[in-house]
Amino acid sequence: MTVKPRGQSWQASVSYKGTRYRKDFATKKEAEIWKLETLVAFKSGRNPFEETAKAVPTLREHVAAVAKVHWGPMKSATKAIQTATNTINILGPDRLVDTLRPADIDVVKLHFQDRGRSPKTANRHLATLSKLVDYAVRYGYLKTGFKSGITRETQGRMRYFSEDEITEMLDYCDGAGDELLKDYILVSLDTGFRQGEVMKILVKDIGRDNIWTFDTKNGKNREVPLTARAKEILRRRIIGLGRNDRVLPPTASWIADHWGEMRKTLGHGGEKDYVPHVLRHTFCTRLLECGVDIKTVQELAGHDNLTTTQKYAKSSPDRKIRAIEALSRAS
């Protein structure tokens, strides 16, 4: 139960049976009087507010409430809640939810624009703001919602490793005697596993002709057939290991160190997108270049949304050339 300054006014708040009531006043004295009168009314068993009155939470409290019912059950709950917290910190976490306005969209946009952050980062926070607004309407704190003003993101070409780049990597591994890095690269190329999935491969996950993983992004099990090359590598690696032992690089730091040394030696140190995850991009692109239908590529990659897979269809300009050549031969 407090009276505190809020901008140019004073805000008084009281709690009664788990509900918090707030009201702003021009002077501290008015706020103190309202607080005392309200407490007296509550103690006498009378609620001075209308039955339909609803206590308005702060943005911080609203995030906590929405987190329980919306983000909490998600696999990415921690990241989503942190994004929501960052968003309200920009707007002011102690603001009341019913003060949200369309102008807040520009506040968030300008915040990231002034700091040189990408539209993708801004959009992630704007999407969070949109969700907070939706729930504010649902709970009756706002009469109407408003669009979040997502910024259009430019879609560049999906990066993938060319055959020459892959050969360069493998030659480096042979020359450096780094067999484990070479095996990591080849298994990634032939399974399309994310880095975290490759690191979690256990002996028991490897079947006669396939391998399965618990998808680290969408939370589902995924089974992928093994190429002859991947079979040879994994069967060689499991010799002497127990059923629950890991097969390939044990830590992300190991991969970062060995990959970083390779990238530097090969002259790619200045390329931001010369990273292990591009091995997964290359897996998808290769499948499409081989004529595999996009739905099958989606299933092998474990993409929830076909739109994600379609990005890889734009990867190689050679695919268009081959398609037209095939059309010419059929004509």
Side-chain angles (χ1 to χ4, degrees):
M1 304 174 189
T2 61
V3 171
K4 60 183 180 181
R6 182 174 178 271
Q8 299 298 315
S9 61
W10 289 85
Q11 183 182 86
S13 65
V14 296
S15 296
Y16 179 67
K17 293 184 177 181
T19 299
R20 182 179 295 178
Y21 299 89
R22 296 184 180 87
K23 193 171 181 179
D24 292 342
F25 297 88
T27 66
K28 183 178 180 180
K29 183 177 181 180
E30 290 175 331
E32 291 283 4
I33 292 173
W34 177 88
K35 185 188 75 169
L36 291 173
E37 289 177 344
T38 303
L39 288 174
V40 170
F42 284 149
K43 288 180 179 180
S44 66
R46 182 176 61 84
N47 189 334
F49 299 93
E50 295 180 358
E51 293 298 322
T52 56
K54 183 181 291 291
V56 179
T58 63
L59 291 180
R60 182 186 287 110
E61 293 166 337
H62 190 52
V63 165
V66 175
K68 288 182 180 180
V69 298
H70 180 72
W71 293 306
M74 295 181 177
K75 187 174 182 291
S76 57
T78 300
K79 185 175 182 179
I81 294 171
Q82 184 58 57
T83 299
T85 301
N86 293 342
T87 303
I88 65 165
N89 284 341
I90 296 169
L91 300 175
D94 293 323
R95 279 180 54 183
L96 299 183
V97 174
D98 61 0
T99 65
L100 285 173
R101 297 293 183 268
D104 291 319
I105 296 169
D106 293 330
V107 173
V108 174
K109 283 184 177 180
L110 290 172
H111 173 87
F112 291 106
Q113 188 178 93
D114 291 345
R115 287 159 179 74
R117 304 299 294 275
S118 69
K120 182 177 181 179
T121 300
N123 285 345
R124 190 165 65 248
H125 290 77
L126 288 169
T128 298
L129 175 58
S130 179
K131 187 59 62 177
L132 292 173
V133 169
D134 288 345
Y135 273 87
V137 173
R138 182 180 303 184
Y139 294 157
Y141 305 133
L142 292 174
K143 291 183 178 180
T144 58
F146 48 87
K147 295 181 179 180
S148 60
I150 298 297
T151 303
R152 183 177 178 83
E153 298 175 24
T154 57
Q155 296 293 334
R157 182 171 67 89
M158 181 71 71
R159 173 68 156 103
Y160 69 100
F161 292 127
S162 67
E163 293 303 319
D164 287 343
E165 287 177 315
I166 294 170
T167 299
E168 184 182 53
M169 291 178 191
L170 301 181
D171 288 345
Y172 163 84
C173 292
D174 289 336
D178 199 337
E179 184 180 62
L180 184 53
L181 178 62
K182 181 178 181 179
D183 288 348
Y184 164 74
I185 291 171
L186 291 174
V187 170
S188 298
L189 285 170
D190 286 6
T191 61
F193 280 9
R194 300 179 180 88
Q195 178 176 298
E197 293 168 344
V198 175
M199 288 165 47
K200 291 180 180 179
I201 294 176
L202 305 179
V203 173
K204 65 182 180 181
D205 298 332
I206 304 168
R208 179 181 178 86
D209 297 309
N210 52 43
I211 185 172
W212 77 272
T213 181
F214 178 77
D215 196 301
T216 58
K217 193 166 185 179
N218 63 27
K220 299 177 182 177
N221 289 332
R222 187 168 87 256
E223 189 175 47
V224 177
L226 289 170
T227 63
R229 180 170 64 179
K231 287 181 189 178
E232 185 280 322
I233 292 171
L234 295 174
R235 288 172 182 171
R236 167 166 47 82
R237 283 283 169 192
I238 66 175
I239 295 175
L241 297 180
R243 179 174 170 80
N244 293 309
D245 288 338
R246 293 189 179 187
V247 181
L248 285 162
T251 64
S253 61
W254 186 97
I255 297 173
D257 290 343
H258 287 248
W259 184 277
E261 186 61 34
M262 177 184 71
R263 180 169 65 176
K264 180 180 177 182
T265 301
L266 296 178
H268 298 290
E271 298 179 38
K272 292 191 304 181
D273 54 0
Y274 195 94
V275 294
H277 190 72
V278 175
L279 295 169
R280 175 169 163 83
H281 294 184
T282 307
F283 166 80
C284 296
T285 302
R286 278 179 154 184
L287 289 174
L288 290 165
E289 289 182 334
C290 291
V292 178
D293 67 275
I294 198 166
K295 182 62 178 176
T296 300
V297 177
Q298 178 194 6
E299 293 174 358
L300 289 171
H303 291 146
D304 274 343
N305 196 319
L306 187 61
T307 303
T308 303
T309 314
Q310 289 172 333
K311 294 178 182 179
Y312 296 91
K314 303 176 184 178
S315 299
S316 173
D318 293 338
R319 291 183 66 246
K320 296 179 181 179
I321 296 174
R322 286 195 294 273
I324 296 301
E325 290 176 344
L327 179 63
S328 298
R329 289 193 296 270
S331 301

